[in-house]
Amino acid sequence: MKYQPGRHHLANAAPRWPLHLLDPRAGPGRALSGSLRQQVIEEQQSQTDRSIDLRLPADPVVVQADDRRVSQVVSNLVTNALKYSPANTPIGVEISQRPGEAILAVSNESPVLSQEQQKTLFEPFYRSPEARSSATPGWGLGLAICKEIVLQHSGRIWVESSEEKGTIFFIALPLPTSSESA
């Protein structure tokens, strides 16, 4: 299917991801298996009745990264968004580009995280008080693993949470320089 920018509800569409991953071991500009598709999100979508709203930029965004590890990060963020937000609310996944970096944002309408929680969410074994008291199982390792994967790609990961916007997890990965993508 041809890349289609805009909004996609994955229950009815299968556009390609605009986030193409280049394999640093294969030499400059060599793509891994074509591109990273929304397979990760489709897998999550198939396990729930929840709506996942995918927003894509007009042009594909290319980063140099390990597709399996970045897929693991996306999977964890989407899984957490589904687990820790009300059942009747949508999940948003958006890919955008800023100067020098690609941004992936996963949003949900979970309860607001305090500033203290936002600072400690990425620490190993941390689970919020709400998560600990819920029936949702977990060890508190997923976000710590995500952080390590993103850092190994010279990227950043953070969370923003407010009553107005809900909770949004972001990852930023550097865009390849012209010599890396040539």
Side-chain angles (χ1 to χ4, degrees):
M1 173 176 270
K2 186 176 179 200
Y3 170 75
Q4 300 170 344
R7 295 179 72 148
H8 301 277
H9 294 280
L10 293 183
N12 302 321
R16 290 176 57 173
W17 272 87
L19 187 66
H20 297 273
L21 299 174
L22 302 178
D23 185 352
R25 299 162 298 191
R30 301 260 326 261
L32 281 170
S33 57
S35 67
L36 175 66
R37 299 176 184 269
Q38 84 270 1
Q39 175 183 353
V40 170
I41 294 176
E42 284 178 343
E43 289 172 6
Q44 298 299 324
Q45 181 80 38
S46 70
Q47 298 173 22
T48 182
D49 292 331
R50 304 276 296 279
S51 171
I52 299 177
D53 184 20
L54 177 61
R55 289 177 228 111
L56 307 176
D59 295 314
V61 177
V62 178
V63 299
Q64 189 164 356
D66 180 328
D67 68 332
R68 285 181 276 162
R69 297 290 68 92
V70 172
S71 293
Q72 181 179 355
V73 171
V74 174
S75 178
N76 186 273
L77 294 178
V78 172
T79 298
N80 282 355
L82 291 165
K83 285 195 305 191
Y84 297 113
S85 62
N88 59 347
T89 60
I91 304 302
V93 177
E94 181 174 5
I95 295 174
S96 61
Q97 189 171 326
R98 294 182 188 165
E101 61 187 5
I103 306 292
L104 176 113
V106 177
S107 60
N108 66 50
E109 297 178 16
S110 68
V112 174
L113 300 169
S114 71
Q115 289 296 321
E116 186 60 34
Q117 289 172 317
Q118 292 177 46
K119 291 177 188 173
T120 56
L121 273 177
F122 299 100
E123 298 301 318
F125 302 107
Y126 177 80
R127 293 190 77 207
S128 71
E130 294 82 8
R132 286 192 309 266
S133 65
S134 75
T136 305
W139 287 91
L141 292 173
L143 291 175
I145 292 169
C146 288
K147 177 182 174 183
E148 188 58 33
I149 290 169
V150 170
L151 291 175
Q152 289 298 315
H153 285 84
S154 301
R156 302 177 294 127
I157 186 168
W158 70 99
V159 63
E160 295 175 5
S161 187
S162 69
E163 288 287 339
E164 300 80 39
K165 294 183 180 181
T167 299
I168 309 170
F169 283 85
F170 295 91
I171 64 169
L173 297 174
L175 296 172
T177 63
S178 57
S179 64
E180 291 174 326
S181 59

